[in-house]
Each structure stands twice: as C-alpha cells, then as structure tokens.
Amino acid sequence: MISRQMVSSLLLAGCVFGGAAMHGQAAAGAQQPQQQSSGLQLQKLGDQQQADPFPPANPKLFTATSPTTDTVNSFLKSLWGYDANRIWKVAAIQKTDAPGVSKVVVYVAERGANAKVQLTQFFVTPDGKHAIADGTVTPFGATPFADLRQLMQQRADGPARGAAGKDLLIVEFADLQCPHCKEAQPSVDQLMKDFPNARFVFENFPLSEIHPAAFLAAAYGVCVAQQKSDAFFPYVQAVFDTQASLTEDQTKPTLAAAVTKVGLDPAAVATCAAAPATVDKVNASLKLGEDAGVDQTPLLIVNGHILPASGMPYETLKQIVQFQAQQDGVSTGAAK
C-alpha cells in the first residue's frame, strides 16, 4: 500500500522497496468503528438520505485551534472529492499531550440507505504540514499536493510523451523488472488516450534489492533515450514483453534483443550503460523518487498526487486524474 499518501481505501498491489508491503491507507482510509474515550457514537444512516446523516458534532471535542475544520475538509476533499458517493464530517479536533500535535477524528460513509458510518482519525504536526496515522506521514493542508507538484515540474526530466506543457503532469516511477509495472502499462497507455493535454514522464526507480536486473535495464533505457529519443518507450515495452528472461544468465542477451528491436546497436548501448554518467542519471531518478516519498513501483504522481498505477480499477484512476485537473484548474483535453 502507499505509505505516504492516503488514497481513499484503494488497494495497491505493487513492487515494494525493501521487499515488504506497507500497510494501511493512513488517515484517509476509513477504519472500522472503534471505541473512543471521547464517547463518539456511531449510527447507521436512515432509509431516507438526510442532509447531514452523521451524529451531531460536540463542541467540547474541538479543543485545538489548529487545524481548522475548513482546512481538514479541504484536505479530505483533495483525497476523496473525486468520489461523489463518499461523504464525511469532522467530528473532533483535539489537543493532545504532545505540544502542538492535534488529533482529528472524522465520520465517513457512502451515500445511500442504511450505509454504515465509519470512523477514521489522524494526527497533525505542530507546523500543520503533515498528517500522521498508522506510523505513516503524509503532506497535510488545504492543498496537500502543491509542493510535490512543484518538485515534479522542476526535476522530473525523464523520457516524456504527450503534451509539451506541464500543467497536467503525470510522472510514472517504474522498475523494468517489476511485474506490476508491466501489468500497469495498459492503464498508462489508456490515460494518454483519455487525457491528450497531459504530459507523461517516465522515471526509473529500480528496486535492486529485489530485482537485480532492474538497474542495468534502466541504464540501457537511459542510453536508448539519448541515442534515439522516440525509441525509449518501445524499448520499455520490449523489455516488459521479455521480462521473464531477465535472469542471472539471460539479462544481457534479453536487453540486447530489446535494443536491437528498436533499431539501435546493442554493443554501443552496453558501453554507454556502463559509463559513470549513465549510472549517475539512474541514481538521480532514484533520488527524485526518494525525495517524493516513492517506496514502491509502479506509482503515478498526478500533479503531485501519488496514485497506484496497478491494483486500482481504471475508471477510478481516470476519475481521480480528472478531479485533480479540475482542482488545479487545468484542461485535460478529454472528449466530452
């Protein structure tokens, strides 16, 4: 699961840095109702949908001055607003024993008769910039993705396709030996068709601890892009198509075959891949991912919003991209 971004209770199957899956959707994943020392009571929605079906807020549970209810609602809208069926209500913003740390409690439900009200909670740091839940830390605020969006616009310089502008920027972090990355490519290709105004950037994130051929495959890709820019994505597809052959004794022949398929000299690319500058280029992509909080592949960063590129229904992924573009006031070019 994504450990730094809370993606609306969506499951993520991915290749994970260090080889162990991260758990939970942190603050934004609605949890099963838990007994609270504050005495918050949960109830079922009635047969008739009400304007506010949640238990009434108790002013005594709002003891912290920061964050404000408006900020929490803006934060949750950034995460959940794409889903018209999800509703929520801030139930408490409380002081804690840790100076400046606030506890936020939120009721969550789906629209419809007899939907169960669930409860989620998280903590906000004294500077108001991060939320903490289940041992994970994620950006917090009314516009939680703004800083990461700027980082991607400034530093994501991998091979690109699609639009020239960066108003709608989708950055994919992938590992060429990761089977989930291979599985995710049809979704990425479909996003390109559905959002013609988006710019798609590929950043290498080889998980060498679990995929020993991934770094070399990434280095070959860097050289392919340098020698023939429009050959990069066909090279990536060729590697994915023969991914099962990235074994200890077959990696180099497999990569050579992929290079040949896109019309380049495998010997020249192999020499380039071993050069320190190429290794530095792959490491720079890794560093960008680490700075962004990427800890597994495949991940998409859509205008700063980290999303799984696999394990999520395509229509949900499409909805989130569309919603993020609307939030940022940019055109997707999607057919109406």
Side-chain angles (χ1 to χ4, degrees):
M1 311 295 283
I2 297 177
S3 63
R4 285 194 60 188
Q5 295 291 331
M6 302 176 289
V7 189
S8 57
S9 304
L10 295 169
L11 298 179
L12 166 62
C15 298
V16 185
F17 180 68
M22 307 300 292
H23 297 286
Q25 292 302 343
Q31 305 297 316
Q32 293 298 319
Q34 302 174 4
Q35 184 176 357
Q36 299 294 318
S37 60
S38 58
L40 296 178
Q41 299 298 312
L42 303 180
Q43 62 184 22
K44 291 185 178 181
L45 301 184
D47 291 335
Q48 299 298 321
Q49 182 67 40
Q50 305 172 43
D52 183 357
F54 298 106
N58 184 345
K60 294 182 179 179
L61 300 178
F62 290 78
T63 58
T65 58
S66 179
T68 66
T69 300
D70 285 346
T71 297
V72 173
N73 279 325
S74 294
F75 170 67
L76 294 176
K77 182 179 179 181
S78 295
L79 298 174
W80 291 340
Y82 76 93
D83 183 357
N85 289 321
R86 180 167 298 199
I87 54 177
W88 66 88
K89 180 179 181 178
V90 181
I93 302 176
Q94 300 171 302
K95 293 180 179 179
T96 68
D97 291 338
V101 175
S102 301
K103 176 182 176 182
V104 179
V105 182
V106 182
Y107 294 124
V108 190
E110 299 295 318
R111 296 186 189 277
N114 294 321
K116 292 182 179 179
V117 176
Q118 297 179 314
L119 186 67
T120 188
Q121 63 182 33
F122 56 95
F123 297 88
V124 176
T125 55
D127 62 4
K129 294 183 178 181
H130 295 89
I132 303 171
D134 297 332
T136 65
V137 180
T138 189
F140 176 81
T143 55
F145 310 130
D147 289 346
L148 187 51
R149 181 188 184 190
Q150 184 178 40
L151 178 69
M152 291 298 105
Q153 288 176 334
Q154 293 174 345
R155 292 174 50 189
D157 60 356
R161 50 185 174 167
K166 298 181 180 181
D167 287 343
L168 180 55
L169 181 62
I170 300 177
V171 182
E172 177 183 6
F173 285 86
D175 171 323
L176 296 182
Q177 200 178 358
C178 168
H180 300 292
C181 297
K182 175 181 177 179
E183 294 166 2
Q185 292 318 295
S187 291
V188 176
D189 291 342
Q190 189 61 47
L191 285 177
M192 285 197 62
K193 296 176 182 178
D194 288 339
F195 299 107
N197 286 359
R199 179 175 179 82
F200 291 80
V201 177
F202 186 98
E203 291 289 344
N204 286 297
F205 200 80
L207 303 175
S208 300
E209 292 182 4
I210 56 175
H211 297 146
F215 195 100
L216 185 60
Y220 269 56
V222 168
C223 295
V224 166
Q226 289 175 347
Q227 296 183 19
K228 187 181 178 183
S229 60
D230 60 357
F232 175 78
F233 290 102
Y235 162 80
V236 168
Q237 189 58 56
V239 175
F240 281 145
D241 289 343
T242 55
Q243 192 180 67
S245 298
L246 294 176
T247 60
E248 184 175 357
D249 59 343
Q250 289 298 312
T251 290
K252 289 185 178 180
T254 300
L255 296 179
V259 170
T260 301
K261 187 172 183 178
V262 299
L264 294 175
D265 177 9
V269 170
T271 298
C272 169
T278 303
V279 174
D280 289 345
K281 181 68 174 176
V282 177
N283 282 330
S285 185
L286 273 167
K287 180 63 165 58
L288 175 61
E290 291 167 358
D291 290 347
V294 174
D295 57 10
Q296 62 186 271
T297 57
L299 288 183
L300 299 179
I301 301 183
V302 181
N303 276 11
H305 190 167
I306 295 182
L307 298 170
S310 67
M312 178 189 290
Y314 178 75
E315 286 305 313
T316 301
L317 180 60
K318 180 180 177 181
Q319 276 184 295
I320 296 174
V321 173
Q322 181 68 53
F323 178 75
Q324 188 61 48
Q326 290 173 350
Q327 289 288 97
D328 295 329
V330 299
S331 171
T332 65
K336 296 182 179 180

